[in-house]
Amino acid sequence: MHIVVCIKQVPDSAQIRVHPVTNTIMRQGVPAIVNPYDLYALEEALKLKDEYGGRVTVLTMGPPMAEAALRKAISYGADDAILVTDRAFAGSDTLATSCALASAISQIHKDMPVDLIFTGKQTIDGDTAQVGPGIAKRLDMQLLTYVSKVRSINIDKQEIVVERRSEGGVQVLNTKLPSLITVLEGTNEMRFATMANMFRASRYPLKVWNREQAGIEDITKIGLKGSPTVVSKVFAPTARSIKAEMIECESGEPKDLSVTLLAKMFAKYPKLEQEIAKQA
Amino acid sequence: MMSEAEAKKPAGKKKFELDDRLKAYKGIWVFIEHERGVLHSVSLELLGEARKLADKLGVEVAGVVMGVPGETTRSFCNEAFHYGADLCYLLEDPLLADYRNEPFTKGMTDLVNKYQPEILLLGATTLGRDLAGSVATTLQTGLTADCTELNVDIDVRSLLATRPTFGGSLLCTIQTLNYRPQMATVRPRVMPMPDEDKSRAGRIVEEKLGMIETSIITKVLEFIPDEMQDKPQLPFADIIVSGGRGMKKPENFNLIWDLAAVLGAEVGATRPVVQSGWVELDRQVGQSGKTVRPKLYIAAGISGAIQHRVGMDASDVIIAINNDPNAPIFEFAHYGIVGNAMTILPALTEAFKSHLATARKVG
Ligand SMILES: Cc1cc2nc3c(=O)[nH]c(=O)nc-3n(C[C@H](O)[C@H](O)[C@H](O)COP(=O)(O)OP(=O)(O)OC[C@H]3O[C@@H](n4cnc5c(N)ncnc54)[C@H](O)[C@@H]3O)c2cc1C
Ligand SMILES: Nc1ncnc2c1ncn2[C@@H]1O[C@H](COP(=O)(O)O)[C@@H](O)[C@H]1O
């Protein structure tokens, strides 16, 4: 069985700061990490490989530095890694990204047929959860989103049974391979990298593909040109015009503070008082 | 993205002109989501937004209802009318019993191709996101996910979809200029619920799905409904008491539960608290948790990071308790108490208790 896992390198958003005056993102020094949601996808693929055998290929589209994300994936146990990188991809939105990735996957498929494609639920920088569905549609594959568990795979019959999260419950679905699965977070826990794999990761000869090698002929489908959406404005959230009314009282005792708060609040919001009485 | 040079072009620059082919796209559609016979409230919230946009553009609002043939499915059309739709496109077919990507994508894309709406809105639920991503790729158009604000530029009839970016620290407005329909998803509870108007009616346009079961590859083997009884329902709670890392220890979280009990409130939390396992994931409020709009939100030991704020900013009244007078939460709370949550919370619980007791005697 051959599983392709799409991973993305993202800035660690917990460490992103916005410049207080210019409102621009201060990227310097912000470490790049593998999109945390993609690690669930990778681990799920590695688990299936443990159970059913086969190979796991990790794929990313990004700048040359995204190589680090692929090496990380190899240290966890991925077999092969492909970096699709080209200036022509700059400015891609989700539609253009899924076009490029789908094309790269078709190329991979020529070397070794692909049975399953895994993506994360979403990225922490793009946050759209659209790239997975986009790839599936372009490759005309069955799409299974928000999968919390792969129940079983029947390789002979080319069938897979999964549990999929829906709003009010879990759907158990049966479908045909090849299919694309977006993996829900919390599905599993990433294994530790072994010494052997870490060693392999450092020496692994990455495959680096440019636009042509990724099989993309039509440049109007990628990069800025292939992106229907444009960002027309970036701005900071507006601060509320009035700050909190700070509750103070002479004694400063918790009890007096609380009573003062309730008196002030219910005087201003009498309806709230009725609501609370109703609830309690 | 518009380049600097373009943006600075002097007045009289060539104005953006919509393609003639795209000018044919008219009207605003809302996908009416339902599951197990229950309509998802996010669809009604979207109808409220769609109504406002449609009135600005001078067009109609349509609901798209897909489901099994029958009264229940048809009743969703009426509900859509009550909340702002002028018409509904109705697809009734036994194949639409459970949500599956293939038939729903085909149903929606066929409708779009035939009736050509300029804007298509869906809830950012698991179902809505699944469908939106597939429909957008199939139609080769732009989709903006998880919007927090929707508006239109009337001149170019363009949807202005605003969403958080870079982990929520900034907002960005995204447009789809040269493609139609312009698609967007919005998370539940982000938009206010519009008022119901039972006197409103509308017309129903019926279409056929045109698929057979054997052509659909994915089969639903089983549906395991969630145990709704003991699942917290934060998005619809009227009162929420939330605790953050400032509560210090899991034992201290009992103070949050005590106050919630007195108020008949739900308990919420920040992400670090959930990640430490003090409360379950369903209680996380914020960007990667639930969006809530209670009448009262009490935040104790919560700094007020933007990722938390986006999930609770729409609360009617926010009370913040924090021992740091400079905590960001005081920038947007309505009332603030500077002090130790471990002593303030029990006092507040007592104060509410006695207040409610007297209120009851009087009332
Ligand atoms: C991509 C991304 C998504 C995220 N999603 C979410 C999300 O959905 N929800 C969410 O909440 N966070 C989310 N976060 C995390 C968020 O950035 C903050 O780290 C988090 O909200 C902080 O939680 P906190 O306020 O509990 O903790 P802290 O920021 O550590 O604040 C603790 C506060 O408690 C106060 N305090 C300490 N002791 C006391 C005391 N004795 N009495 C009273 N006050 C005291 C302190 O002054 C401080 O203000 C996300 C982050 C990222 C990067
Ligand atoms: N540039 C990329 N390279 C590889 N995979 C990607 C890329 N962008 C997105 N993905 C995959 O698509 C998923 C959804 O991304 P998004 O639509 O940005 O939320 C991610 O979890 C990744 O698995």
Side-chain angles (χ1 to χ4, degrees):
Chain A
M1 196 171 48
H2 185 198
I3 308 176
V4 173
V5 185
C6 298
I7 65 172
K8 188 182 182 191
Q9 189 180 53
V10 295
D12 186 352
S13 61
Q15 301 196 34
I16 286 187
R17 294 286 170 271
V18 176
H19 192 284
V21 180
T22 59
N23 264 330
T24 47
I25 299 287
M26 301 192 288
R27 288 171 193 269
Q28 289 96 330
V30 177
I33 55 172
V34 179
N35 177 39
Y37 293 110
D38 298 349
L39 291 178
Y40 297 107
L42 178 58
E43 173 61 24
E44 204 56 29
L46 294 172
K47 266 171 51 188
L48 292 180
K49 179 189 148 188
D50 292 345
E51 196 174 337
Y52 299 95
R55 284 187 89 75
V56 172
T57 300
V58 281
L59 168 67
T60 194
M61 177 184 105
M65 69 181 259
E67 169 184 349
L70 294 175
R71 294 207 186 274
K72 188 97 199 156
I74 292 198
S75 77
Y76 289 127
D79 298 290
D80 294 302
I82 295 158
L83 169 65
V84 178
T85 186
D86 200 308
R87 282 180 177 274
F89 296 130
S92 294
D93 72 357
T94 51
L95 195 69
T97 301
S98 56
C99 172
L101 290 172
S103 177
I105 291 168
S106 303
Q107 294 302 111
I108 296 172
H109 185 78
K110 284 184 193 159
D111 282 343
M112 187 188 198
V114 176
D115 301 295
L116 278 170
I117 303 168
F118 279 16
T119 73
K121 181 183 90 167
Q122 65 197 60
T123 51
I124 59 169
D125 61 342
D127 220 353
T128 71
Q130 289 156 21
V131 168
I135 296 171
K137 285 293 138 187
R138 284 179 191 277
L139 297 176
D140 196 17
M141 278 188 181
Q142 290 302 302
L143 166 66
L144 305 166
T145 53
Y146 303 101
V147 167
S148 54
K149 188 175 175 184
V150 174
R151 277 202 180 172
S152 64
I153 296 179
N154 185 326
I155 296 177
D156 295 334
K157 287 168 84 181
Q158 287 281 296
E159 277 182 6
I160 183 167
V161 178
V162 302
E163 292 181 9
R164 168 181 189 270
R165 175 109 291 265
S166 82
E167 287 304 299
V170 172
Q171 273 186 327
V172 184
L173 299 171
N174 177 317
T175 197
K176 287 257 185 262
L177 301 179
S179 53
L180 185 141
I181 289 178
T182 80
V183 179
L184 197 65
E185 77 268 26
T187 306
N188 52 45
E189 212 165 304
M190 193 45 159
R191 62 194 59 197
F192 289 106
T194 62
M195 277 313 272
N197 281 334
M198 281 199 269
F199 189 64
R200 185 165 173 265
S202 65
R203 317 183 70 185
Y204 176 84
L206 281 184
K207 290 197 189 99
V208 181
W209 288 355
N210 62 17
R211 176 178 68 79
E212 290 89 357
Q213 287 162 309
I216 300 153
E217 275 147 31
D218 187 354
I219 55 161
T220 64
K221 291 275 192 290
I222 53 161
L224 269 183
K225 273 215 177 80
S227 302
T229 57
V230 291
V231 178
S232 55
K233 194 165 115 195
V234 177
F235 56 105
T238 45
R240 200 166 270 171
S241 47
I242 313 155
K243 286 190 184 180
E245 176 175 354
M246 302 309 281
I247 304 298
E248 280 155 0
C249 64
E250 247 166 65
S251 71
E253 288 295 321
K255 177 167 183 279
D256 299 333
L257 285 170
S258 301
V259 172
T260 313
L261 166 68
L262 296 200
K264 285 197 166 176
M265 182 170 72
F266 291 143
K268 185 152 178 207
Y269 303 98
K271 263 172 76 188
L272 185 62
E273 188 169 8
Q274 295 158 20
E275 287 291 338
I276 294 177
K278 217 167 61 196
Q279 293 280 324
Chain B
M1 214 175 299
M2 212 204 279
S3 72
E4 290 278 312
E6 255 173 287
K8 282 190 195 124
K9 260 191 209 155
K13 67 180 175 189
K14 211 176 104 217
K15 237 191 87 188
F16 176 80
E17 257 294 328
L18 201 58
D19 224 285
D20 278 339
R21 186 178 51 87
L22 299 180
K23 279 186 186 147
Y25 285 74
K26 282 273 154 66
I28 303 184
W29 287 14
V30 174
F31 171 67
I32 306 295
E33 177 173 341
H34 57 93
E35 187 176 61
R36 314 271 126 190
V38 184
L39 192 141
H40 199 301
S41 60
V42 72
S43 306
L44 306 178
E45 293 159 13
L46 286 175
L47 282 169
E49 291 307 300
R51 189 70 261 165
K52 287 183 230 163
L53 301 179
D55 291 343
K56 284 185 196 163
L57 290 171
V59 293
E60 287 189 315
V61 172
V64 177
V65 178
M66 303 189 209
V68 289
E71 267 317 298
T72 317
T73 303
R74 289 185 165 256
S75 75
F76 297 140
C77 296
N78 283 326
E79 225 170 315
F81 299 146
H82 296 165
Y83 283 89
D86 301 303
L87 72 158
C88 275
Y89 294 98
L90 175 65
L91 274 186
E92 285 180 303
D93 196 301
L95 299 188
L96 299 170
D98 289 284
Y99 175 73
R100 282 181 292 174
N101 179 271
E102 225 179 331
F104 275 75
T105 301
K106 177 171 188 311
M108 182 60 100
T109 48
D110 285 354
L111 283 175
V112 167
N113 285 330
K114 181 160 179 190
Y115 294 101
Q116 308 196 315
E118 58 202 300
I119 294 172
L120 170 56
L121 307 176
L122 301 93
T125 58
T126 55
L127 192 167
R129 282 168 163 234
D130 182 286
L131 181 60
S134 320
V135 170
T137 327
T138 310
L139 296 169
Q140 296 279 304
T141 190
L143 164 60
T144 307
D146 289 358
C147 301
T148 50
E149 206 188 309
L150 297 173
N151 208 336
V152 280
D153 176 342
I154 301 172
D155 290 341
V156 290
R157 299 189 80 80
S158 160
L159 178 69
L160 303 170
T162 299
R163 70 186 306 271
T165 180
F166 291 106
S169 2
L170 289 176
L171 296 169
C172 64
T173 301
I174 294 177
Q175 284 175 271
T176 301
L177 291 174
N178 257 320
Y179 301 78
R180 292 289 180 276
Q182 310 163 77
M183 293 179 59
T185 64
V186 179
R187 289 172 36 162
R189 302 303 275 160
V190 167
M191 300 299 178
M193 178 67 78
D195 291 328
E196 183 178 14
D197 178 356
K198 284 213 153 96
S199 68
R200 279 185 58 99
R203 35 184 224 286
I204 294 181
V205 179
E206 292 187 49
E207 281 292 333
K208 293 268 169 293
L209 177 65
M211 276 184 118
I212 47 168
E213 181 58 47
T214 44
S215 71
I216 304 174
I217 296 170
T218 300
K219 310 285 177 199
V220 181
L221 302 181
E222 196 186 340
F223 183 83
I224 310 162
D226 290 332
E227 288 290 343
M228 284 316 237
Q229 289 88 331
D230 35 72
K231 242 178 118 77
Q233 296 295 330
L234 261 68
F236 296 95
D238 281 330
I239 308 171
I240 295 174
V241 186
S242 274
R245 188 146 54 183
M247 294 305 295
K248 300 277 191 324
K249 286 188 283 191
E251 300 86 82
N252 290 341
F253 227 76
N254 287 336
L255 302 174
I256 301 277
W257 287 100
D258 291 346
L259 176 54
V262 166
L263 296 174
E266 277 286 5
V267 167
T270 60
R271 189 164 83 162
V273 165
V274 168
Q275 285 180 338
S276 309
W278 300 358
V279 298
E280 63 260 54
L281 181 63
D282 280 316
R283 299 197 181 276
Q284 181 175 319
V285 173
Q287 187 195 326
S288 45
K290 301 276 187 277
T291 304
V292 302
R293 336 173 50 96
K295 300 197 166 74
L296 177 62
Y297 190 93
I298 303 177
I302 293 178
S303 61
I306 185 72
Q307 292 87 359
H308 187 74
R309 178 179 170 177
V310 293
M312 44 72 83
D313 216 7
S315 308
D316 291 346
V317 179
I318 300 167
I319 301 175
I321 304 163
N322 197 304
N323 63 0
D324 173 8
N326 297 317
I329 192 145
F330 292 131
E331 301 282 322
F332 59 93
H334 298 83
Y335 295 101
I337 298 183
V338 177
N340 182 355
M342 271 44 91
T343 56
I344 306 278
L345 278 172
L348 193 58
T349 305
E350 280 312 309
F352 269 117
K353 226 190 241 172
S354 49
H355 190 96
L356 287 170
T358 29
R360 244 176 238 127
K361 253 179 242 146
V362 176

